[in-house]
Each structure stands twice: as C-alpha cells, then as structure tokens.
Amino acid sequence: MSRLTAGVVLVTAHEAALDPDGPRGEDVGMTATSFMSVSLDPPLVMVGLREGSRMDDLLAEQPLWAVSLLSEHQRIIAGRFAMKGRVSDRLLFEDIRYDRGEVTGAPLIGGALATLECRTEQRVTAGDHTLVIGRVLNATAPGVDGGPLAYFRGRYRQLG
Ligand SMILES: Cc1cc2nc3c(=O)[nH]c(=O)nc-3n(C[C@H](O)[C@H](O)[C@H](O)COP(=O)(O)O)c2cc1C
C-alpha cells in the first residue's frame, strides 16, 4: 500500500464540542491518509482511525469532527500531528493558524486546500481500525496557492 499515492489530511476535533462545560476542552488533531469521498447525495466522507488512537477514542464519545486537506506547504504540520506519545495537544496547535468550525468547534487549518466539517453517521470496526463515515455539514475551499501534500513510499511528496 506504500505504492498507492495518497493525499494527506489533518483530522481534528474539539473535545468540548458536545460539552461546553467539560473540564478540558482540548483540541485534538491527527495526520491521516485513509480519507475518501463516499457519497455525493447525501455528502458522506470516510476516515480510517487506528483503534485505540486518541482520535478514535474521542470520536467514539462525540460525533463532531473536521478534516483539513493539507497543501504541499504543510508537511511540517503533517509531521507534527503524526507524532506518538506527544506531550500535549495544546502545544501541537500553539503556533498553527486555524479557524474554529462553526458547526463542530473543531480547528480548521489555515492554508489548507479545503476544510470539511462532519458529523459521524456510522462507525464500522474493521480489523485494527475503525472506519468513521461522516456527513459533511459545512465545507470551505479557500483560494490557496499550491498543490496537495501527497504521501508515497513512506515520504511526503508534491506533484510535478
Ligand atoms: C502520512 C501518515 C498517514 C497516516 N494515516 C493515518 C490514518 O489514516 N489513520 C490513522 O489512524 N493513523 C494514521 N497515521 C498515524 C497517526 O497520524 C498517528 O498514529 C497519530 O497521530 C498518533 O496518535 P496516537 O498516539 O493517538 O496514535 C498516519 C501517519 C502518517 C505519517
């Protein structure tokens, strides 16, 4: 599968989206390539999350999340949010420009090619991953320069 070219996305969620009085309200982000469009009507997308990852645990509890399609200028962001055993999610977002999604409260990364806000419709356990299918509630495609960030044979790539 390392020979399949994949686009790189950042999946994000805000812990307090359903519980504004919750104790922590951390933003959580995870780099992913297992992201795809599923249906146009209704608009559905899917992401595969490793079972037991922080994002999988969070989305088992709350249905709101977002996806930012990363541009070729954002490999540092991709690398940062793929780190395991990180200190604190808050530090990861510290110097990153983002807006907060109106519907989900999740970070939408500035400079991304597009952003999607989603609500989980279905969760399917498949081996050691959870396939999370979400309905797209809101989408933006800002006028951003540059092409996509791709991943091929274990390395980040740009087109061309
Ligand atoms: C290019 C790339 C693509 C990745 N794609 C996925 C993915 O689709 N699903 C997933 O669960 N983890 C994926 N990962 C791994 C997660 O980013 C990583 O395990 C996570 O950020 C660490 O958090 P955790 O300690 O909670 O697992 C990918 C990592 C990289 C570098």
Side-chain angles (χ1 to χ4, degrees):
M1 290 308 291
S2 69
R3 296 177 185 206
L4 176 68
T5 310
V8 182
V9 307
L10 192 70
V11 185
T12 55
H14 183 64
E15 260 186 338
L18 280 187
D19 179 13
D21 302 323
R24 294 202 300 151
E26 282 217 335
D27 291 319
V28 177
M30 194 196 85
T31 301
T33 47
S34 59
F35 177 71
M36 63 182 286
S37 164
V38 170
S39 158
L40 281 177
D41 186 17
L44 300 175
V45 293
M46 189 190 82
V47 65
L49 303 176
R50 187 177 58 77
E51 213 168 64
S53 62
R54 176 100 196 269
M55 189 61 73
D56 184 46
D57 288 348
L58 178 57
L59 296 192
E61 298 293 322
Q62 68 164 50
L64 299 174
W65 45 285
V67 175
S68 298
L69 310 190
L70 297 184
S71 86
E72 62 195 7
H73 306 302
Q74 296 182 308
R75 38 174 105 186
I76 288 173
I77 296 178
R80 188 187 291 191
F81 284 91
M83 288 188 299
K84 283 185 188 285
R86 53 212 183 203
V87 189
S88 157
D89 290 281
R90 197 159 283 152
L91 288 179
L92 290 181
F93 280 98
E94 208 166 52
D95 55 355
I96 288 178
R97 197 161 47 83
Y98 62 86
D99 294 322
R100 204 163 277 292
E102 283 173 26
V103 189
T104 57
L108 308 176
I109 304 303
L113 298 177
T115 67
L116 307 164
E117 288 190 89
C118 306
R119 178 193 295 276
T120 301
E121 291 250 321
Q122 213 175 323
R123 291 170 56 85
V124 179
T125 300
D128 57 7
H129 275 60
T130 307
L131 307 180
V132 181
I133 297 173
R135 180 183 288 246
V136 180
L137 305 174
N138 202 13
T140 69
V144 170
D145 283 340
L149 182 60
Y151 198 71
F152 175 69
R153 286 196 151 189
R155 286 170 56 185
Y156 295 106
R157 318 271 182 164
Q158 3 190 138
L159 296 186

